[in-house]
Amino acid sequence: GNSVTQMEGPVTLSEEAFLTINCTYTATGYPSLFWYVQYPGEGLQLLLKATKADDKGSNKGFEATYRKETTSFHLEKGSVQVSDSAVYFCALSDFQGAQKLVFGQGTRLTINP
Amino acid sequence: SQTIHQWPATLVQPVGSPLSLECTVEGTSNPNLYWYRQAAGRGLQLLFYSVGIGQISSEVPQNLSASRPQDRQFILSSKKLLLSDSGFYLCALTGNYGYTFGSGTRLTVV
C-alpha cells in the first residue's frame, strides 16, 4: 500500500539557519503530495502541495519539489524563524471512494533565537 | 469558509470506560468526513471516513466505531477503552476548499 517516510525529529535549529526535512513516499499511480504544519494548540494547516512530477509547491518561504525519480518531496526553507517552530507532516493523497491522506510520522521543529 | 469544531482538546479516561468524541462542521454541505489518529511515534492514520449520513467506512480493525447522524456531525465512539486507544485524534473534512482539520483531541487512557 501507499506509505510516507519522513525524517525523524525532533529537529532544533538556530534562527536564520537552512532547513531541510526529508520525505519519501511509496505509491501506485501518481498521487498529489502535501506538507501540513501544526502550530502549538492548533489544527493541521496546509503549507504547500504539488500535484504532478517536477511541480514545486511554495508558501511562506518554504518549498518542496515533487521528484518522481527519487520518490521524494523534501521540505526546505532558506532562513527559518522562531515562528516556524511547529510539527510538520508530509502526506500523499489516495483517492479510493474518498480523498484519503497518508501521512508521515511528523517532524517536530524547534527554532531557537 | 469551511470550519470544523472538535472537542474536547484533552481527555483522560480510565481503561474500560466509554468514549464519545464529536466534531461538527460549518460552511459546507455534504462534506466527506474523516477521523484520523496519531499514536505515539507514528504518523496520522485514517480510522474512518464518511461520504454521507449513515455511511461509514472503516480503514483498520479496532476497538472504535464512528457514526454520522447528521450531515455536519461526525462522532467517534468506544464502548470500552483500551490502553492502546491513547493518541491524538483529528477530525477532518473535504469540501469546497480541500482538506480542513479540527484542532484535535489528545486522549490518554490510564
PDB file of all heavy atoms in Angstrom, chain A residues 36 38 41-45 89 96-106, chain B residues 32 34 36 38 41-44 46 49 51 59 88 90 94 99 101-103:
ATOM      1  N   TYR A  36       1.857  19.532   5.570  1.00  0.00           N
ATOM      2  CA  TYR A  36       0.977  20.177   6.524  1.00  0.00           C
ATOM      3  C   TYR A  36       1.799  20.621   7.728  1.00  0.00           C
ATOM      4  O   TYR A  36       2.811  20.003   8.082  1.00  0.00           O
ATOM      5  CB  TYR A  36      -0.117  19.221   6.999  1.00  0.00           C
ATOM      6  CG  TYR A  36      -1.246  19.032   6.017  1.00  0.00           C
ATOM      7  CD1 TYR A  36      -1.163  18.078   5.004  1.00  0.00           C
ATOM      8  CD2 TYR A  36      -2.392  19.815   6.094  1.00  0.00           C
ATOM      9  CE1 TYR A  36      -2.195  17.926   4.092  1.00  0.00           C
ATOM     10  CE2 TYR A  36      -3.432  19.654   5.187  1.00  0.00           C
ATOM     11  CZ  TYR A  36      -3.322  18.714   4.194  1.00  0.00           C
ATOM     12  OH  TYR A  36      -4.349  18.560   3.294  1.00  0.00           O
ATOM     13  N   GLN A  38       1.469  21.965  11.890  1.00  0.00           N
ATOM     14  CA  GLN A  38       0.626  22.092  13.082  1.00  0.00           C
ATOM     15  C   GLN A  38       1.358  22.957  14.097  1.00  0.00           C
ATOM     16  O   GLN A  38       2.338  22.515  14.708  1.00  0.00           O
ATOM     17  CB  GLN A  38       0.301  20.735  13.663  1.00  0.00           C
ATOM     18  CG  GLN A  38      -0.672  20.794  14.841  1.00  0.00           C
ATOM     19  CD  GLN A  38      -1.059  19.424  15.342  1.00  0.00           C
ATOM     20  OE1 GLN A  38      -0.275  18.486  15.280  1.00  0.00           O
ATOM     21  NE2 GLN A  38      -2.283  19.301  15.821  1.00  0.00           N
ATOM     22  N   GLY A  41      -1.141  24.057  19.753  1.00  0.00           N
ATOM     23  CA  GLY A  41      -2.524  24.341  20.123  1.00  0.00           C
ATOM     24  C   GLY A  41      -3.478  24.524  18.955  1.00  0.00           C
ATOM     25  O   GLY A  41      -4.644  24.871  19.166  1.00  0.00           O
ATOM     26  N   GLU A  42      -3.019  24.290  17.747  1.00  0.00           N
ATOM     27  CA  GLU A  42      -3.872  24.499  16.576  1.00  0.00           C
ATOM     28  C   GLU A  42      -4.028  23.205  15.772  1.00  0.00           C
ATOM     29  O   GLU A  42      -3.334  22.224  15.986  1.00  0.00           O
ATOM     30  CB  GLU A  42      -3.288  25.593  15.682  1.00  0.00           C
ATOM     31  CG  GLU A  42      -3.147  26.933  16.378  1.00  0.00           C
ATOM     32  CD  GLU A  42      -2.635  28.008  15.441  1.00  0.00           C
ATOM     33  OE1 GLU A  42      -2.667  27.809  14.211  1.00  0.00           O
ATOM     34  OE2 GLU A  42      -2.200  29.058  15.948  1.00  0.00           O
ATOM     35  N   GLY A  43      -4.964  23.232  14.826  1.00  0.00           N
ATOM     36  CA  GLY A  43      -5.143  22.097  13.939  1.00  0.00           C
ATOM     37  C   GLY A  43      -4.132  22.108  12.810  1.00  0.00           C
ATOM     38  O   GLY A  43      -3.350  23.039  12.662  1.00  0.00           O
ATOM     39  N   LEU A  44      -4.160  21.047  12.001  1.00  0.00           N
ATOM     40  CA  LEU A  44      -3.262  20.984  10.851  1.00  0.00           C
ATOM     41  C   LEU A  44      -3.670  22.007   9.803  1.00  0.00           C
ATOM     42  O   LEU A  44      -4.862  22.186   9.522  1.00  0.00           O
ATOM     43  CB  LEU A  44      -3.307  19.588  10.219  1.00  0.00           C
ATOM     44  CG  LEU A  44      -2.226  18.605  10.637  1.00  0.00           C
ATOM     45  CD1 LEU A  44      -2.373  18.253  12.103  1.00  0.00           C
ATOM     46  CD2 LEU A  44      -2.274  17.362   9.776  1.00  0.00           C
ATOM     47  N   GLN A  45      -2.669  22.644   9.207  1.00  0.00           N
ATOM     48  CA  GLN A  45      -2.921  23.584   8.122  1.00  0.00           C
ATOM     49  C   GLN A  45      -2.097  23.163   6.914  1.00  0.00           C
ATOM     50  O   GLN A  45      -0.955  22.747   7.061  1.00  0.00           O
ATOM     51  CB  GLN A  45      -2.489  24.999   8.530  1.00  0.00           C
ATOM     52  CG  GLN A  45      -3.149  25.547   9.775  1.00  0.00           C
ATOM     53  CD  GLN A  45      -2.529  26.861  10.200  1.00  0.00           C
ATOM     54  OE1 GLN A  45      -1.958  27.591   9.391  1.00  0.00           O
ATOM     55  NE2 GLN A  45      -2.636  27.169  11.478  1.00  0.00           N
ATOM     56  N   PHE A  89       4.131  17.680   8.774  1.00  0.00           N
ATOM     57  CA  PHE A  89       3.710  16.374   8.280  1.00  0.00           C
ATOM     58  C   PHE A  89       3.762  16.353   6.761  1.00  0.00           C
ATOM     59  O   PHE A  89       3.192  17.218   6.105  1.00  0.00           O
ATOM     60  CB  PHE A  89       2.268  16.058   8.708  1.00  0.00           C
ATOM     61  CG  PHE A  89       2.073  15.870  10.178  1.00  0.00           C
ATOM     62  CD1 PHE A  89       1.751  16.940  10.997  1.00  0.00           C
ATOM     63  CD2 PHE A  89       2.192  14.611  10.740  1.00  0.00           C
ATOM     64  CE1 PHE A  89       1.552  16.766  12.352  1.00  0.00           C
ATOM     65  CE2 PHE A  89       1.997  14.426  12.104  1.00  0.00           C
ATOM     66  CZ  PHE A  89       1.686  15.506  12.909  1.00  0.00           C
ATOM     67  N   GLN A  96      -9.706   6.681  -3.089  1.00  0.00           N
ATOM     68  CA  GLN A  96     -10.430   5.427  -3.246  1.00  0.00           C
ATOM     69  C   GLN A  96     -11.749   5.580  -2.510  1.00  0.00           C
ATOM     70  O   GLN A  96     -11.846   5.316  -1.334  1.00  0.00           O
ATOM     71  CB  GLN A  96      -9.642   4.252  -2.681  1.00  0.00           C
ATOM     72  CG  GLN A  96      -8.351   3.952  -3.413  1.00  0.00           C
ATOM     73  CD  GLN A  96      -7.619   2.770  -2.821  1.00  0.00           C
ATOM     74  OE1 GLN A  96      -8.231   1.813  -2.340  1.00  0.00           O
ATOM     75  NE2 GLN A  96      -6.300   2.819  -2.822  1.00  0.00           N
ATOM     76  N   GLY A  97     -12.760   6.062  -3.222  1.00  0.00           N
ATOM     77  CA  GLY A  97     -14.053   6.267  -2.579  1.00  0.00           C
ATOM     78  C   GLY A  97     -14.148   7.611  -1.884  1.00  0.00           C
ATOM     79  O   GLY A  97     -15.203   8.198  -1.783  1.00  0.00           O
ATOM     80  N   ALA A  98     -13.048   8.083  -1.375  1.00  0.00           N
ATOM     81  CA  ALA A  98     -12.968   9.407  -0.761  1.00  0.00           C
ATOM     82  C   ALA A  98     -11.502   9.810  -0.847  1.00  0.00           C
ATOM     83  O   ALA A  98     -10.624   8.978  -1.058  1.00  0.00           O
ATOM     84  CB  ALA A  98     -13.443   9.368   0.695  1.00  0.00           C
ATOM     85  N   GLN A  99     -11.257  11.104  -0.690  1.00  0.00           N
ATOM     86  CA  GLN A  99      -9.874  11.566  -0.769  1.00  0.00           C
ATOM     87  C   GLN A  99      -9.180  11.325   0.558  1.00  0.00           C
ATOM     88  O   GLN A  99      -9.338  12.089   1.504  1.00  0.00           O
ATOM     89  CB  GLN A  99      -9.809  13.047  -1.124  1.00  0.00           C
ATOM     90  CG  GLN A  99      -8.390  13.529  -1.333  1.00  0.00           C
ATOM     91  CD  GLN A  99      -8.310  15.031  -1.508  1.00  0.00           C
ATOM     92  OE1 GLN A  99      -9.300  15.729  -1.345  1.00  0.00           O
ATOM     93  NE2 GLN A  99      -7.143  15.532  -1.818  1.00  0.00           N
ATOM     94  N   LYS A 100      -8.399  10.264   0.628  1.00  0.00           N
ATOM     95  CA  LYS A 100      -7.733   9.928   1.876  1.00  0.00           C
ATOM     96  C   LYS A 100      -6.307  10.440   1.832  1.00  0.00           C
ATOM     97  O   LYS A 100      -5.676  10.484   0.788  1.00  0.00           O
ATOM     98  CB  LYS A 100      -7.703   8.416   2.058  1.00  0.00           C
ATOM     99  CG  LYS A 100      -9.052   7.747   1.938  1.00  0.00           C
ATOM    100  CD  LYS A 100      -8.896   6.259   1.923  1.00  0.00           C
ATOM    101  CE  LYS A 100     -10.178   5.592   1.486  1.00  0.00           C
ATOM    102  NZ  LYS A 100     -10.016   4.134   1.353  1.00  0.00           N
ATOM    103  N   LEU A 101      -5.797  10.808   2.987  1.00  0.00           N
ATOM    104  CA  LEU A 101      -4.413  11.239   3.118  1.00  0.00           C
ATOM    105  C   LEU A 101      -3.616  10.178   3.864  1.00  0.00           C
ATOM    106  O   LEU A 101      -4.065   9.658   4.887  1.00  0.00           O
ATOM    107  CB  LEU A 101      -4.327  12.567   3.868  1.00  0.00           C
ATOM    108  CG  LEU A 101      -4.857  13.790   3.138  1.00  0.00           C
ATOM    109  CD1 LEU A 101      -4.793  15.021   4.035  1.00  0.00           C
ATOM    110  CD2 LEU A 101      -4.074  14.041   1.854  1.00  0.00           C
ATOM    111  N   VAL A 102      -2.434   9.891   3.347  1.00  0.00           N
ATOM    112  CA  VAL A 102      -1.497   9.000   4.027  1.00  0.00           C
ATOM    113  C   VAL A 102      -0.370   9.886   4.538  1.00  0.00           C
ATOM    114  O   VAL A 102       0.291  10.583   3.755  1.00  0.00           O
ATOM    115  CB  VAL A 102      -0.955   7.922   3.073  1.00  0.00           C
ATOM    116  CG1 VAL A 102       0.071   7.061   3.788  1.00  0.00           C
ATOM    117  CG2 VAL A 102      -2.106   7.073   2.538  1.00  0.00           C
ATOM    118  N   PHE A 103      -0.151   9.882   5.844  1.00  0.00           N
ATOM    119  CA  PHE A 103       0.784  10.799   6.475  1.00  0.00           C
ATOM    120  C   PHE A 103       2.091  10.120   6.878  1.00  0.00           C
ATOM    121  O   PHE A 103       2.117   8.926   7.201  1.00  0.00           O
ATOM    122  CB  PHE A 103       0.179  11.370   7.767  1.00  0.00           C
ATOM    123  CG  PHE A 103      -0.888  12.394   7.552  1.00  0.00           C
ATOM    124  CD1 PHE A 103      -2.212  12.016   7.453  1.00  0.00           C
ATOM    125  CD2 PHE A 103      -0.567  13.736   7.470  1.00  0.00           C
ATOM    126  CE1 PHE A 103      -3.212  12.952   7.266  1.00  0.00           C
ATOM    127  CE2 PHE A 103      -1.557  14.682   7.293  1.00  0.00           C
ATOM    128  CZ  PHE A 103      -2.873  14.293   7.186  1.00  0.00           C
ATOM    129  N   GLY A 104       3.156  10.909   6.882  1.00  0.00           N
ATOM    130  CA  GLY A 104       4.359  10.517   7.584  1.00  0.00           C
ATOM    131  C   GLY A 104       4.164  10.734   9.080  1.00  0.00           C
ATOM    132  O   GLY A 104       3.115  11.210   9.528  1.00  0.00           O
ATOM    133  N   GLN A 105       5.181  10.388   9.854  1.00  0.00           N
ATOM    134  CA  GLN A 105       5.023  10.408  11.306  1.00  0.00           C
ATOM    135  C   GLN A 105       5.143  11.792  11.915  1.00  0.00           C
ATOM    136  O   GLN A 105       4.884  11.970  13.102  1.00  0.00           O
ATOM    137  CB  GLN A 105       6.035   9.464  11.979  1.00  0.00           C
ATOM    138  CG  GLN A 105       7.482   9.918  11.885  1.00  0.00           C
ATOM    139  CD  GLN A 105       8.172   9.316  10.691  1.00  0.00           C
ATOM    140  OE1 GLN A 105       7.617   9.237   9.595  1.00  0.00           O
ATOM    141  NE2 GLN A 105       9.405   8.892  10.890  1.00  0.00           N
ATOM    142  N   GLY A 106       5.514  12.779  11.124  1.00  0.00           N
ATOM    143  CA  GLY A 106       5.633  14.134  11.635  1.00  0.00           C
ATOM    144  C   GLY A 106       7.039  14.420  12.141  1.00  0.00           C
ATOM    145  O   GLY A 106       7.724  13.537  12.661  1.00  0.00           O
TER     146      GLY A 106
ATOM    147  N   ASN B  32     -17.261  15.137   2.817  1.00  0.00           N
ATOM    148  CA  ASN B  32     -16.707  13.877   3.293  1.00  0.00           C
ATOM    149  C   ASN B  32     -16.044  14.158   4.639  1.00  0.00           C
ATOM    150  O   ASN B  32     -15.347  15.170   4.796  1.00  0.00           O
ATOM    151  CB  ASN B  32     -15.681  13.325   2.309  1.00  0.00           C
ATOM    152  CG  ASN B  32     -16.321  12.830   1.028  1.00  0.00           C
ATOM    153  OD1 ASN B  32     -17.531  12.639   0.958  1.00  0.00           O
ATOM    154  ND2 ASN B  32     -15.503  12.616   0.017  1.00  0.00           N
ATOM    155  N   TYR B  34     -13.789  12.611   8.113  1.00  0.00           N
ATOM    156  CA  TYR B  34     -12.743  11.650   8.406  1.00  0.00           C
ATOM    157  C   TYR B  34     -12.385  11.712   9.886  1.00  0.00           C
ATOM    158  O   TYR B  34     -12.401  12.783  10.498  1.00  0.00           O
ATOM    159  CB  TYR B  34     -11.465  11.969   7.600  1.00  0.00           C
ATOM    160  CG  TYR B  34     -11.673  12.143   6.120  1.00  0.00           C
ATOM    161  CD1 TYR B  34     -12.185  13.333   5.613  1.00  0.00           C
ATOM    162  CD2 TYR B  34     -11.336  11.131   5.220  1.00  0.00           C
ATOM    163  CE1 TYR B  34     -12.370  13.499   4.246  1.00  0.00           C
ATOM    164  CE2 TYR B  34     -11.512  11.297   3.860  1.00  0.00           C
ATOM    165  CZ  TYR B  34     -12.033  12.479   3.380  1.00  0.00           C
ATOM    166  OH  TYR B  34     -12.217  12.642   2.022  1.00  0.00           O
ATOM    167  N   TYR B  36      -8.891  10.675  11.971  1.00  0.00           N
ATOM    168  CA  TYR B  36      -7.512  10.215  11.939  1.00  0.00           C
ATOM    169  C   TYR B  36      -7.005  10.084  13.377  1.00  0.00           C
ATOM    170  O   TYR B  36      -7.464  10.774  14.281  1.00  0.00           O
ATOM    171  CB  TYR B  36      -6.602  11.224  11.228  1.00  0.00           C
ATOM    172  CG  TYR B  36      -6.735  11.252   9.730  1.00  0.00           C
ATOM    173  CD1 TYR B  36      -7.703  12.037   9.111  1.00  0.00           C
ATOM    174  CD2 TYR B  36      -5.868  10.523   8.923  1.00  0.00           C
ATOM    175  CE1 TYR B  36      -7.811  12.082   7.732  1.00  0.00           C
ATOM    176  CE2 TYR B  36      -5.959  10.559   7.539  1.00  0.00           C
ATOM    177  CZ  TYR B  36      -6.944  11.339   6.949  1.00  0.00           C
ATOM    178  OH  TYR B  36      -7.037  11.381   5.580  1.00  0.00           O
ATOM    179  N   GLN B  38      -3.187   9.680  15.629  1.00  0.00           N
ATOM    180  CA  GLN B  38      -1.739   9.580  15.698  1.00  0.00           C
ATOM    181  C   GLN B  38      -1.353   8.948  17.017  1.00  0.00           C
ATOM    182  O   GLN B  38      -1.533   9.548  18.080  1.00  0.00           O
ATOM    183  CB  GLN B  38      -1.068  10.942  15.568  1.00  0.00           C
ATOM    184  CG  GLN B  38       0.448  10.857  15.574  1.00  0.00           C
ATOM    185  CD  GLN B  38       1.098  12.214  15.428  1.00  0.00           C
ATOM    186  OE1 GLN B  38       0.553  13.216  15.854  1.00  0.00           O
ATOM    187  NE2 GLN B  38       2.277  12.243  14.825  1.00  0.00           N
ATOM    188  N   GLY B  41       4.823   8.316  18.280  1.00  0.00           N
ATOM    189  CA  GLY B  41       5.905   7.933  17.386  1.00  0.00           C
ATOM    190  C   GLY B  41       5.467   7.473  16.002  1.00  0.00           C
ATOM    191  O   GLY B  41       6.281   6.978  15.229  1.00  0.00           O
ATOM    192  N   ARG B  42       4.197   7.663  15.695  1.00  0.00           N
ATOM    193  CA  ARG B  42       3.695   7.205  14.397  1.00  0.00           C
ATOM    194  C   ARG B  42       2.983   8.339  13.687  1.00  0.00           C
ATOM    195  O   ARG B  42       2.635   9.347  14.263  1.00  0.00           O
ATOM    196  CB  ARG B  42       2.747   6.024  14.597  1.00  0.00           C
ATOM    197  CG  ARG B  42       3.374   4.857  15.329  1.00  0.00           C
ATOM    198  CD  ARG B  42       2.419   3.695  15.423  1.00  0.00           C
ATOM    199  NE  ARG B  42       2.088   3.162  14.099  1.00  0.00           N
ATOM    200  CZ  ARG B  42       1.264   2.150  13.919  1.00  0.00           C
ATOM    201  NH1 ARG B  42       0.675   1.563  14.945  1.00  0.00           N
ATOM    202  NH2 ARG B  42       1.000   1.710  12.705  1.00  0.00           N
ATOM    203  N   GLY B  43       2.780   8.158  12.382  1.00  0.00           N
ATOM    204  CA  GLY B  43       2.076   9.162  11.609  1.00  0.00           C
ATOM    205  C   GLY B  43       0.588   9.111  11.843  1.00  0.00           C
ATOM    206  O   GLY B  43       0.066   8.210  12.494  1.00  0.00           O
ATOM    207  N   LEU B  44      -0.113  10.082  11.288  1.00  0.00           N
ATOM    208  CA  LEU B  44      -1.565  10.087  11.366  1.00  0.00           C
ATOM    209  C   LEU B  44      -2.122   8.956  10.507  1.00  0.00           C
ATOM    210  O   LEU B  44      -1.763   8.809   9.347  1.00  0.00           O
ATOM    211  CB  LEU B  44      -2.111  11.424  10.874  1.00  0.00           C
ATOM    212  CG  LEU B  44      -1.926  12.592  11.824  1.00  0.00           C
ATOM    213  CD1 LEU B  44      -1.978  13.903  11.074  1.00  0.00           C
ATOM    214  CD2 LEU B  44      -2.986  12.561  12.892  1.00  0.00           C
ATOM    215  N   LEU B  46      -5.595   7.006   9.056  1.00  0.00           N
ATOM    216  CA  LEU B  46      -7.032   7.143   8.831  1.00  0.00           C
ATOM    217  C   LEU B  46      -7.760   5.986   9.502  1.00  0.00           C
ATOM    218  O   LEU B  46      -7.431   4.813   9.268  1.00  0.00           O
ATOM    219  CB  LEU B  46      -7.330   7.152   7.337  1.00  0.00           C
ATOM    220  CG  LEU B  46      -8.802   7.277   6.945  1.00  0.00           C
ATOM    221  CD1 LEU B  46      -9.384   8.598   7.452  1.00  0.00           C
ATOM    222  CD2 LEU B  46      -8.949   7.181   5.427  1.00  0.00           C
ATOM    223  N   TYR B  49     -13.963   7.009   7.470  1.00  0.00           N
ATOM    224  CA  TYR B  49     -14.425   8.128   6.679  1.00  0.00           C
ATOM    225  C   TYR B  49     -15.885   7.925   6.338  1.00  0.00           C
ATOM    226  O   TYR B  49     -16.394   6.789   6.377  1.00  0.00           O
ATOM    227  CB  TYR B  49     -13.580   8.355   5.425  1.00  0.00           C
ATOM    228  CG  TYR B  49     -13.686   7.300   4.348  1.00  0.00           C
ATOM    229  CD1 TYR B  49     -14.626   7.418   3.325  1.00  0.00           C
ATOM    230  CD2 TYR B  49     -12.814   6.224   4.334  1.00  0.00           C
ATOM    231  CE1 TYR B  49     -14.707   6.469   2.324  1.00  0.00           C
ATOM    232  CE2 TYR B  49     -12.889   5.271   3.337  1.00  0.00           C
ATOM    233  CZ  TYR B  49     -13.832   5.387   2.336  1.00  0.00           C
ATOM    234  OH  TYR B  49     -13.911   4.450   1.345  1.00  0.00           O
ATOM    235  N   VAL B  51     -18.979   9.402   3.549  1.00  0.00           N
ATOM    236  CA  VAL B  51     -19.334  10.209   2.374  1.00  0.00           C
ATOM    237  C   VAL B  51     -20.771  10.719   2.470  1.00  0.00           C
ATOM    238  O   VAL B  51     -21.222  11.439   1.564  1.00  0.00           O
ATOM    239  CB  VAL B  51     -19.117   9.430   1.065  1.00  0.00           C
ATOM    240  CG1 VAL B  51     -17.642   9.049   0.926  1.00  0.00           C
ATOM    241  CG2 VAL B  51     -19.995   8.190   1.010  1.00  0.00           C
ATOM    242  N   GLU B  59     -11.230   1.852   8.082  1.00  0.00           N
ATOM    243  CA  GLU B  59      -9.964   1.576   7.412  1.00  0.00           C
ATOM    244  C   GLU B  59      -9.135   0.523   8.131  1.00  0.00           C
ATOM    245  O   GLU B  59      -8.349  -0.177   7.506  1.00  0.00           O
ATOM    246  CB  GLU B  59      -9.143   2.869   7.288  1.00  0.00           C
ATOM    247  CG  GLU B  59      -9.708   3.842   6.284  1.00  0.00           C
ATOM    248  CD  GLU B  59      -9.594   3.312   4.868  1.00  0.00           C
ATOM    249  OE1 GLU B  59      -8.481   3.218   4.344  1.00  0.00           O
ATOM    250  OE2 GLU B  59     -10.647   2.976   4.285  1.00  0.00           O
ATOM    251  N   PHE B  88      -3.637  10.903  19.600  1.00  0.00           N
ATOM    252  CA  PHE B  88      -4.145  12.210  19.187  1.00  0.00           C
ATOM    253  C   PHE B  88      -5.134  11.985  18.056  1.00  0.00           C
ATOM    254  O   PHE B  88      -4.788  11.430  17.013  1.00  0.00           O
ATOM    255  CB  PHE B  88      -2.957  13.072  18.735  1.00  0.00           C
ATOM    256  CG  PHE B  88      -3.324  14.474  18.370  1.00  0.00           C
ATOM    257  CD1 PHE B  88      -3.782  15.356  19.332  1.00  0.00           C
ATOM    258  CD2 PHE B  88      -3.190  14.916  17.070  1.00  0.00           C
ATOM    259  CE1 PHE B  88      -4.111  16.661  19.002  1.00  0.00           C
ATOM    260  CE2 PHE B  88      -3.519  16.213  16.733  1.00  0.00           C
ATOM    261  CZ  PHE B  88      -3.977  17.088  17.691  1.00  0.00           C
ATOM    262  N   LEU B  90      -7.849  13.365  15.263  1.00  0.00           N
ATOM    263  CA  LEU B  90      -8.169  14.523  14.438  1.00  0.00           C
ATOM    264  C   LEU B  90      -9.385  14.232  13.579  1.00  0.00           C
ATOM    265  O   LEU B  90      -9.434  13.215  12.886  1.00  0.00           O
ATOM    266  CB  LEU B  90      -7.002  14.865  13.511  1.00  0.00           C
ATOM    267  CG  LEU B  90      -5.927  15.825  13.997  1.00  0.00           C
ATOM    268  CD1 LEU B  90      -4.839  15.925  12.961  1.00  0.00           C
ATOM    269  CD2 LEU B  90      -6.507  17.199  14.279  1.00  0.00           C
ATOM    270  N   THR B  94     -13.377  17.094   3.749  1.00  0.00           N
ATOM    271  CA  THR B  94     -13.045  17.610   2.430  1.00  0.00           C
ATOM    272  C   THR B  94     -14.330  18.194   1.846  1.00  0.00           C
ATOM    273  O   THR B  94     -15.362  17.548   1.826  1.00  0.00           O
ATOM    274  CB  THR B  94     -12.490  16.540   1.489  1.00  0.00           C
ATOM    275  OG1 THR B  94     -13.336  15.387   1.497  1.00  0.00           O
ATOM    276  CG2 THR B  94     -11.089  16.129   1.917  1.00  0.00           C
ATOM    277  N   TYR B  99      -9.012  19.925   2.045  1.00  0.00           N
ATOM    278  CA  TYR B  99      -8.988  19.361   3.386  1.00  0.00           C
ATOM    279  C   TYR B  99      -8.968  20.467   4.439  1.00  0.00           C
ATOM    280  O   TYR B  99      -8.216  21.429   4.334  1.00  0.00           O
ATOM    281  CB  TYR B  99      -7.741  18.498   3.569  1.00  0.00           C
ATOM    282  CG  TYR B  99      -7.995  17.018   3.721  1.00  0.00           C
ATOM    283  CD1 TYR B  99      -7.945  16.178   2.613  1.00  0.00           C
ATOM    284  CD2 TYR B  99      -8.271  16.455   4.959  1.00  0.00           C
ATOM    285  CE1 TYR B  99      -8.166  14.815   2.743  1.00  0.00           C
ATOM    286  CE2 TYR B  99      -8.500  15.099   5.100  1.00  0.00           C
ATOM    287  CZ  TYR B  99      -8.448  14.283   3.985  1.00  0.00           C
ATOM    288  OH  TYR B  99      -8.677  12.928   4.108  1.00  0.00           O
ATOM    289  N   PHE B 101      -8.892  20.551   8.841  1.00  0.00           N
ATOM    290  CA  PHE B 101      -8.750  19.720  10.028  1.00  0.00           C
ATOM    291  C   PHE B 101      -9.271  20.447  11.264  1.00  0.00           C
ATOM    292  O   PHE B 101      -9.176  21.671  11.366  1.00  0.00           O
ATOM    293  CB  PHE B 101      -7.278  19.380  10.261  1.00  0.00           C
ATOM    294  CG  PHE B 101      -6.716  18.376   9.294  1.00  0.00           C
ATOM    295  CD1 PHE B 101      -6.150  18.798   8.103  1.00  0.00           C
ATOM    296  CD2 PHE B 101      -6.759  17.016   9.566  1.00  0.00           C
ATOM    297  CE1 PHE B 101      -5.636  17.877   7.197  1.00  0.00           C
ATOM    298  CE2 PHE B 101      -6.248  16.094   8.678  1.00  0.00           C
ATOM    299  CZ  PHE B 101      -5.686  16.529   7.487  1.00  0.00           C
ATOM    300  N   GLY B 102      -9.795  19.669  12.215  1.00  0.00           N
ATOM    301  CA  GLY B 102     -10.080  20.195  13.529  1.00  0.00           C
ATOM    302  C   GLY B 102      -8.790  20.344  14.317  1.00  0.00           C
ATOM    303  O   GLY B 102      -7.705  19.992  13.844  1.00  0.00           O
ATOM    304  N   SER B 103      -8.908  20.859  15.533  1.00  0.00           N
ATOM    305  CA  SER B 103      -7.720  21.114  16.344  1.00  0.00           C
ATOM    306  C   SER B 103      -7.273  19.883  17.115  1.00  0.00           C
ATOM    307  O   SER B 103      -6.212  19.882  17.720  1.00  0.00           O
ATOM    308  CB  SER B 103      -7.979  22.270  17.309  1.00  0.00           C
ATOM    309  OG  SER B 103      -9.147  22.015  18.053  1.00  0.00           O
TER     310      SER B 103
END
